[in-house]
Amino acid sequence: MTKSVASSETRHALDRTALIEVGCEELPSGLLPALRAALLKKAQSLRSAYRLGHGPVSVMGTPQRLIVVLHDLPDHQEPLTETVLGPPAKLAGVLPDGPSPQAEGFARNQGVEVKDLAIMDTPKGPYLAVRKILPCRKTEDVIAELLSRIPEGVPLPKAMRWGRDSGPFLRPVLWVLACWGNQPVSLTFAGVESRSVTRSPRSHGFLETPVRGVSHYMSLLEKEWGVIPDPAVRRESIERDLDLALKMEQGSGSLPRSVRRVPDPDLSAEVADLVETFRVLVGSFPEKYLSLPAPLIQTVLKVHQRFFVLVSETSALSNRFLAVSGNPSADTPTVRSGFEKVVRARLEDAQYYLARDRQRTLESFAEDLKGLAFFPGVGNLADKARMAREMVLWLLEHVSDSDIRGTGLDRPALSDSLDRLATLAKADLATGLVREFPELEGVIGGHYWSLEHRSDLDRGGSDSVRVRLESLAIAEHYHPRHLQDRLPVSLPGRVLALADKFLHQVGGFGAGFVPSGSEDPYALRRAAVGMFSLLLETKWPISLDRLAEKAKEILPGRDVSDDLRKFWRERLQSFWEREHPVLLVRASILSDSEWLPTIQGRLRFLSTAPSRAQWEGVSSLYTRLVNILPKGGNDVSLPIDETRISESPERKILQLLIETGLYPENGWGDLAQRGDWEVLWERATRFVEPVERFFEEILVNDPDPVLRSSRLGLLLRLLNGLEHIGRLNLLSAPSREG
């Protein structure tokens, strides 16, 4: 059992604690984690700014209240000496007997005597300065100002006002409580003045209750009302009660021992932010609804009602579920009956729409896509399906024969299948079931396609393989929906998904919906990240430059290729900066014409390159070439007259260029594309000493234009080769912060 924070061992500590509680109308659960994180950051920053020690800060809360607690506060602020700079010392006059007007004004403004001024050396030269010891005020004198500033200005996705001089905040503020130990603190937030009063949970009447201090407040929450203010602890308690309720039901014989709860951390966290007090109930629905698609039942339970799914030992869905009620004092049979009634109603709706949809084929629903918009001015979803037919066949050209053989189909059969899937993939958007349950887009289309071709599936053979692939591809082509989401597992699904995400971006840019700042209403950034993930996973030889050029063909008359290139470069950099330093990412991304797996391989190689023995030599060589050679050093058009290369150092470089594949053709690009980074590095190290000697003994900018061109041509070819390893000059002083 969790130890109460109001126990005797912690009572003294709570008397040295400050607390602010903001009571609101129901706060949306989806926004609470970000709001608590913002409050924590703000409280920690303010505590430091007000010099009130370095003790812990806690941010807790429920849907009805946000609680910020500052622990272990001192009686006084910490001492601090502040140095204030004034005018330059040359304007000070003669100190202290003959100060200039500037020096006298500076002293007067700082509240000190002229004799207290000093001259301090700074990077800009000597300046007048004064050292001031800031006053150490009592905590009780500053705590009201500190607490009132904590909830002010925290970022809110949407703010509202609920009357004159009230707000703004996420929801209307009903009360504010502030305490410093056992002393009330007077402040105002969002137009509401603080009082020594809180409110009980709604399950206890939502009544105003006087508060005598921090320890009394915590005792009210935990002991009297059963509220667990810490959301992480509340979540753990809910999960324990879920498992306990399941075991009790199994112990009574109502459920088989093999039935288990499907772990769902996201749902547990969401439910913990939906309730203040709680009770776990076991509900059920008629077994006849188990004939519905399993994802549909799970959507009704999890997404629509926030109930927990139960399955058998074979992972088959049970007709029982676990529910968390936010009113533990209510009549249990009444609450259970209400939950079950809502689930039955939703499943009955699903069964109705399923039966009505099955009167038509999936292909017939594809005709209805003409009435569904793609992007304004770009076309409808039927137009997108036409674009998808062209796109999937183009993508298939880049798929290797070995990958195609892995599907069990040959290339012509897979081409026919993808051509068909491009039209069918979005067809379920016109069905009644997906209109009612939009979360199931794709899943329902795959289910309907399987039902329509049940005879092919039962017969087996190549037709069975084809139908299974097509059904799976329709169901999974929306993945990945977000950064942590899984990728499609089937080859047709990956082709469809890549085409879909590409076309979504092309259509969005064609309609003028270019993401800007935090504005991205059509999730084009998310589509770009999904496209990157697919290109990296499949390793198909498709560059961002090729995709940008393809956009011109897909959307003729609206050339958005340059905008897409810029957008992809920014998103690709952000995509990798989540895990790697900024400069490392910039050093790795060289060109839009490279395949993403090549860039990823370079990124991984460069992350360890600075620890290599030859790192300083190779990076210095690269940096020197970049600084010496003219801009555009990848231009290898300068002719080399081998008959004029006569000196030993330059002959050595020419010989190495030939031996390592940089002359007459640049063969290092193929090595990078294959991921032969160790070979590239070994070849680069061979140039360090010869080039050093070259610069010591040879005049590069020789007056003879032929000789000058030949020598520059040697170095330009070397620089062009080294750039396949990366922009090494960005990593000459590696830093995790970039």
Side-chain angles (χ1 to χ4, degrees):
M1 183 175 180
T2 304
K3 188 176 181 180
S4 171
V5 296
S7 63
S8 59
E9 292 85 351
T10 59
R11 190 176 303 279
H12 176 69
L14 289 176
D15 290 340
R16 304 187 62 80
T17 296
L19 175 146
I20 180 172
E21 178 194 52
V22 178
C24 306
E25 292 187 4
E26 299 290 330
L27 293 162
S29 61
L31 301 180
L32 277 175
L35 182 57
R36 286 193 296 261
L39 288 171
L40 177 61
K41 184 178 181 180
K42 185 80 175 291
Q44 290 171 333
S45 174
L46 286 171
R47 179 169 185 161
S48 176
Y50 278 84
R51 300 160 23 227
L52 290 179
H54 304 283
V57 176
S58 302
V59 176
M60 302 176 287
T62 70
Q64 294 172 232
R65 66 191 83 227
L66 293 166
I67 308 163
V68 181
V69 184
L70 282 65
H71 303 269
D72 302 333
L73 291 170
D75 293 327
H76 293 79
Q77 291 179 307
E78 296 174 338
L80 178 66
T81 300
E82 182 183 41
T83 300
V84 182
L85 293 180
K90 63 183 180 181
L91 302 178
V94 180
L95 297 179
D97 298 326
S100 67
Q102 291 92 331
E104 290 178 337
F106 175 58
R108 185 168 52 253
N109 291 338
Q110 298 303 316
V112 298
E113 301 291 334
V114 172
K115 63 183 178 63
D116 296 323
L117 298 180
I119 295 178
M120 176 178 291
D121 290 327
T122 73
K124 295 183 179 181
Y127 275 73
L128 278 180
V130 60
R131 287 185 173 87
K132 301 169 60 178
I133 299 177
L134 299 181
C136 297
R137 300 167 64 189
K138 290 183 178 180
T139 300
E140 62 186 40
D141 294 336
V142 299
I143 196 65
E145 182 181 344
L146 188 159
L147 292 177
S148 66
R149 291 180 61 187
I150 290 175
E152 288 181 350
V154 293
L156 302 171
K158 291 184 180 180
M160 59 186 301
R161 297 181 181 273
W162 49 95
R164 181 175 297 177
D165 299 326
S166 63
F169 202 58
L170 193 59
R171 290 291 185 271
V173 175
L174 303 180
W175 77 92
V176 177
L177 164 69
C179 306
W180 158 230
N182 292 326
Q183 304 174 30
V185 175
S186 297
L187 57 87
T188 301
F189 170 66
V192 180
E193 295 183 1
S194 65
R195 301 163 54 209
S196 298
V197 169
T198 186
R199 289 196 184 186
S200 63
R202 295 191 186 277
S203 58
H204 287 71
F206 207 48
L207 304 175
E208 288 193 350
T209 305
V211 175
R212 298 191 298 272
V214 177
S215 59
H216 180 229
Y217 171 80
M218 291 298 183
S219 179
L220 282 174
L221 284 183
E222 294 193 342
K223 291 187 175 181
E224 188 163 334
W225 298 329
V227 174
I228 304 174
D230 188 322
V233 177
R234 188 163 65 249
R235 170 185 166 180
E236 292 174 1
S237 181
I238 288 174
E239 290 192 329
R240 282 196 301 269
D241 283 9
L242 287 168
D243 293 335
L244 179 61
L246 179 59
K247 290 180 180 178
M248 291 178 64
E249 200 75 8
Q250 290 171 334
S252 67
S254 300
L255 269 177
R257 294 284 182 181
S258 59
V259 171
R260 57 183 175 83
R261 175 172 66 92
V262 177
D264 197 330
D266 292 339
L267 181 59
S268 297
E270 182 181 9
V271 169
D273 279 334
L274 284 171
V275 297
E276 217 175 26
T277 55
F278 63 89
R279 171 184 294 171
V280 174
L281 304 172
V282 181
S284 64
F285 57 86
E287 290 188 359
K288 66 177 183 178
Y289 294 119
L290 290 176
S291 61
L292 294 170
L296 173 57
I297 299 174
Q298 291 173 328
T299 298
V300 169
L301 295 177
K302 291 172 50 179
V303 179
H304 291 201
Q305 303 303 322
R306 276 71 173 183
F307 295 160
F308 291 84
V309 174
L310 298 178
V311 297
S312 67
E313 58 184 349
T314 61
S315 297
L317 280 179
S318 169
N319 70 319
R320 309 292 290 277
F321 59 86
L322 295 171
V324 178
S325 168
N327 188 358
S329 60
D331 180 62
T332 299
T334 301
V335 174
R336 179 186 293 112
S337 175
F339 286 164
E340 293 175 343
K341 183 178 180 180
V342 173
V343 171
R344 283 198 306 272
R346 295 301 288 155
L347 293 177
E348 187 67 29
D349 289 343
Q351 197 169 56
Y352 165 76
Y353 285 112
L354 177 63
R356 194 177 71 172
D357 289 344
R358 291 289 294 125
Q359 296 175 10
R360 298 175 56 184
T361 64
L362 189 62
E363 289 179 295
S364 70
F365 281 110
E367 295 295 322
D368 298 344
L369 295 179
K370 295 177 181 178
L372 300 178
F374 177 29
F375 277 104
V378 175
N380 52 45
L381 287 184
D383 296 320
K384 184 181 181 182
R386 174 186 52 78
M387 299 176 193
R389 291 182 66 185
E390 178 181 349
M391 192 65 196
V392 295
L393 297 180
W394 180 81
L395 290 174
L396 186 60
E397 295 174 3
H398 300 81
V399 180
S400 67
D401 291 336
S402 60
D403 285 346
I404 291 178
R405 284 194 297 271
T407 66
L409 301 177
D410 57 23
R411 189 176 288 272
L414 189 57
S415 177
D416 290 342
S417 182
L418 282 170
D419 185 57
R420 182 165 47 253
L421 286 171
T423 302
L424 295 175
K426 302 297 182 185
D428 67 352
L429 295 177
T431 65
L433 196 54
V434 172
R435 288 177 184 270
E436 185 71 14
F437 299 92
E439 305 89 350
L440 293 172
E441 58 186 5
V443 174
I444 295 304
H447 179 70
Y448 284 175
W449 192 246
S450 294
L451 291 179
E452 290 177 22
H453 296 82
R454 177 59 59 189
S455 60
D456 291 329
L457 292 172
D458 293 340
R459 187 165 53 246
S462 60
D463 285 340
S464 175
V465 172
R466 176 185 57 78
V467 171
R468 290 184 189 278
L469 277 175
E470 290 176 347
S471 299
L472 180 57
I474 295 171
E476 65 179 1
H477 84 278
Y478 285 98
H479 294 279
R481 296 176 183 269
H482 50 80
L483 192 59
Q484 289 77 33
D485 196 14
R486 67 174 181 85
L487 298 178
V489 296
S490 69
L491 177 60
R494 291 181 173 185
V495 173
L496 276 178
L498 183 54
D500 186 55
K501 285 163 176 50
F502 169 76
L503 291 175
H504 185 71
Q505 295 170 82
V506 172
F509 273 72
F513 297 113
V514 180
S516 174
S518 61
E519 297 296 321
D520 187 14
Y522 293 96
L524 298 179
R525 293 188 179 107
R526 191 185 310 162
V529 170
M531 186 179 75
F532 298 156
S533 299
L534 286 162
L535 289 172
L536 288 168
E537 177 67 20
T538 60
K539 296 181 172 56
W540 293 334
I542 304 172
S543 67
L544 297 180
D545 189 61
R546 291 285 304 279
L547 287 171
E549 290 299 315
K550 189 63 181 175
K552 295 181 183 179
E553 303 173 19
I554 290 291
L555 202 63
R558 300 189 186 189
D559 186 357
V560 296
S561 58
D562 289 341
D563 291 335
L564 284 172
R565 285 188 180 95
K566 179 182 177 183
F567 172 67
W568 287 335
R569 281 193 293 268
E570 294 172 353
R571 296 319 306 160
L572 188 61
Q573 191 162 311
S574 299
F575 177 72
W576 274 316
E577 283 175 6
R578 295 175 296 107
E579 300 177 355
H580 299 282
V582 174
L583 290 182
L584 180 61
V585 174
R586 291 179 182 174
S588 303
I589 302 176
L590 304 182
S591 168
D592 295 336
S593 61
E594 284 194 307
W595 304 343
L596 295 197
T598 300
I599 302 174
Q600 185 180 57
R602 178 182 298 114
L603 180 61
R604 291 172 177 170
F605 176 78
L606 287 181
S607 65
T608 62
S611 63
R612 294 172 178 267
Q614 294 274 12
W615 166 252
E616 290 187 7
V618 176
S619 62
S620 298
L621 168 61
Y622 177 86
T623 302
R624 192 169 186 179
L625 292 175
V626 169
N627 293 336
I628 290 176
L629 293 171
K631 300 301 180 183
N634 60 345
D635 179 10
V636 294
S637 60
L638 286 173
I640 297 177
D641 187 344
E642 296 185 36
T643 63
R644 301 295 301 275
I645 304 297
S646 58
E647 300 293 333
S648 176
E650 56 187 346
R651 293 295 302 177
K652 178 62 175 177
I653 293 177
L654 177 60
Q655 180 184 351
L656 283 175
L657 290 175
I658 296 172
E659 292 177 358
T660 59
L662 283 178
Y663 182 77
E665 300 295 335
N666 179 9
W668 287 19
D670 293 336
L671 291 172
Q673 192 166 290
R674 293 198 303 267
D676 292 335
W677 303 105
E678 296 294 340
V679 175
L680 275 174
W681 185 257
E682 185 276 330
R683 293 185 181 183
T685 60
R686 295 168 63 182
F687 285 92
V688 174
E689 292 184 9
V691 173
E692 183 68 26
R693 185 181 168 201
F694 175 87
F695 282 126
E696 291 175 355
E697 302 180 14
I698 300 298
L699 178 62
V700 177
N701 290 316
D702 194 279
D704 184 338
V706 175
L707 193 55
R708 181 171 62 251
S709 172
S710 297
R711 289 172 177 173
L712 287 173
L714 292 175
L715 299 179
L716 285 169
R717 281 162 173 79
L718 174 57
L719 177 59
N720 190 48
L722 290 174
E723 284 196 331
H724 287 293
I725 301 176
R727 296 189 176 99
L728 305 182
N729 57 330
L730 296 179
L731 304 178
S732 56
S735 167
R736 287 297 302 175
E737 293 76 26

